[in-house]
Amino acid sequence: GSILEPQERSMEPPAVPPEEEEEEEEEEMPLTAAPSPVGCQLFGYVGIEAVLDQMKIKTMKMGFEFNIMVVGQSGLGKSTMVNTLFKSKVSRKASQPGQEECIPKTVQLQCVTHVIEEKGVKMKLTVTDTPGFGDQINNKNCWDPIIKYINEQYERYLREEILITRKRKIPDTRVHVCVYFVPPTGHWLRPLDLEFMRRLSKIVNVVPVIAKADSLTLEERAEFKQRIQEDLKAHAISVYPQEDFDQDPDDRTLNDRIREKIPFAVVGADQEHQVNGKRVLGRKTKWGIIEVENPAHCEFPLLRDLLIRSHLQDLKDITHNVHYESYRVRRLNESNGP
């Protein structure tokens, strides 16, 4: 074909005589898209399934990050619970042996990072503890340092993301889950608990647990759990897993069973004992040994399955696609506003 000069081109369509225009209208047929095939049968092995192996090998080489925050009063076993979750000394107390811990006057945040490896899979684990939360006489606005820290991690990720020449893999320091420890009072949730979860559930995944559940009987534990569920529903507090983010019917069925058990009544222990010829994690009392990993004794296995074995990637996805996205939209609107 011939190359036309820019001056010879015209944006207006060429004039068409009325007779030809009527003929073209008669010849026009409605365009219908061909139905897309649901599936295509292969006549031999192609190797598409090898993509999963490629993703697995790449993930094992690169590793991944997981950031967990534990919030609660002193003496509720937060550090012990984290050590029990990952079966290693990953809490802040383990990194500072021989030091007496005193209650700080204000809420402080302390982060400890470890690299854990299991069967070739490396995970960079960051545990953020909040000593001083709820330990003062006046606990007004004690959640402000925690909210500030979470937003700072979002801001750090956003600044790396909007750079012209950004890193191939942006370091992820965002908090993926916040485990909130409720004191085992056996009554109702305190105003401090309600206000904290109401504010934090909007910016991070919150998982409430009943700490030191072995101090309650089974009847008291069930009644206390029911009261907490009523409080959360009455104050419209949406804890993880949120109903709004259930898209798949199978996921909704699984999450409904999990929501019936929340908050989990957990017991933490980092010492092993001999039970029927086996070494188990547990707490030794005069009446016997409370096995941490026994579902008949506590609900620690349910918490471990939720945080690590079944919903770890979902926690990271919701953090990135929901909480971080809402923060990013708000910040960009503020910077583009008048």
Side-chain angles (χ1 to χ4, degrees), residues 182-183 185-187 210 220-228:
V182 179
T185 59
H187 299 289
I210 301 174
E220 292 173 344
R221 183 188 304 179
E223 187 178 357
F224 187 37
K225 182 181 295 190
Q226 184 178 0
R227 289 178 177 177
I228 292 177

Side-chain angles (χ1 to χ4, degrees), residues 30-222:
L31 297 177
T32 57
S36 59
V38 177
C40 183
Q41 185 178 1
L42 303 178
F43 299 103
Y45 179 74
V46 177
I48 301 175
E49 63 174 4
V51 176
L52 298 177
D53 297 332
Q54 298 173 28
M55 295 172 63
K56 181 180 178 181
I57 293 172
K58 188 174 182 180
T59 304
M60 291 177 67
K61 287 182 179 179
M62 297 178 60
F64 60 97
E65 297 113 336
F66 185 62
N67 308 317
I68 181 174
M69 174 184 283
V70 289
V71 182
Q73 287 183 344
S74 300
L76 293 181
K78 300 186 295 297
S79 301
T80 305
M81 178 58 61
V82 174
N83 292 339
T84 310
L85 271 174
F86 299 98
K87 293 186 178 181
S88 58
K89 302 292 184 180
V90 295
S91 67
R92 60 186 176 87
K93 290 184 180 179
S95 62
Q96 300 174 353
Q99 294 184 4
E100 295 184 359
E101 185 181 10
C102 58
I103 299 176
K105 295 182 180 180
T106 57
V107 178
Q108 301 176 0
L109 282 89
Q110 300 179 359
C111 300
V112 179
T113 302
H114 298 272
V115 177
I116 303 176
E117 185 174 355
E118 183 182 28
K119 294 183 179 180
V121 180
K122 294 182 180 180
M123 180 177 71
K124 184 179 179 182
L125 174 68
T126 301
V127 180
T128 304
D129 200 352
T130 56
F133 177 83
D135 295 332
Q136 312 301 323
I137 297 177
N138 183 9
N139 291 307
K140 183 179 180 181
N141 298 331
C142 61
W143 46 77
D144 285 347
I146 300 174
I147 295 176
K148 180 181 178 183
Y149 173 80
I150 295 174
N151 288 331
E152 284 177 354
Q153 308 315 309
Y154 289 152
E155 182 68 23
R156 179 181 300 181
Y157 193 91
L158 178 61
R159 289 180 179 177
E160 291 287 342
E161 194 177 41
I162 63 178
L163 289 177
I164 298 177
T165 56
R166 57 185 180 183
K167 300 178 182 177
R168 187 173 182 181
K169 183 180 179 182
I170 301 176
D172 190 3
T173 59
R174 299 168 297 181
V175 179
H176 299 127
V177 61
C178 173
V179 181
Y180 185 73
F181 288 73
V182 179
T185 59
H187 299 289
W188 303 88
L189 286 176
R190 303 169 300 172
L192 175 62
D193 304 329
L194 293 170
E195 189 64 22
F196 176 85
M197 286 190 282
R198 187 185 68 82
R199 291 174 180 264
L200 267 293
S201 61
K202 299 177 182 179
I203 61 174
V204 73
N205 300 314
V206 178
V207 178
V209 298
I210 301 174
K212 294 189 174 181
D214 53 336
S215 61
L216 300 173
T217 64
L218 296 179
E219 293 78 9
E220 292 173 344
R221 183 188 304 179

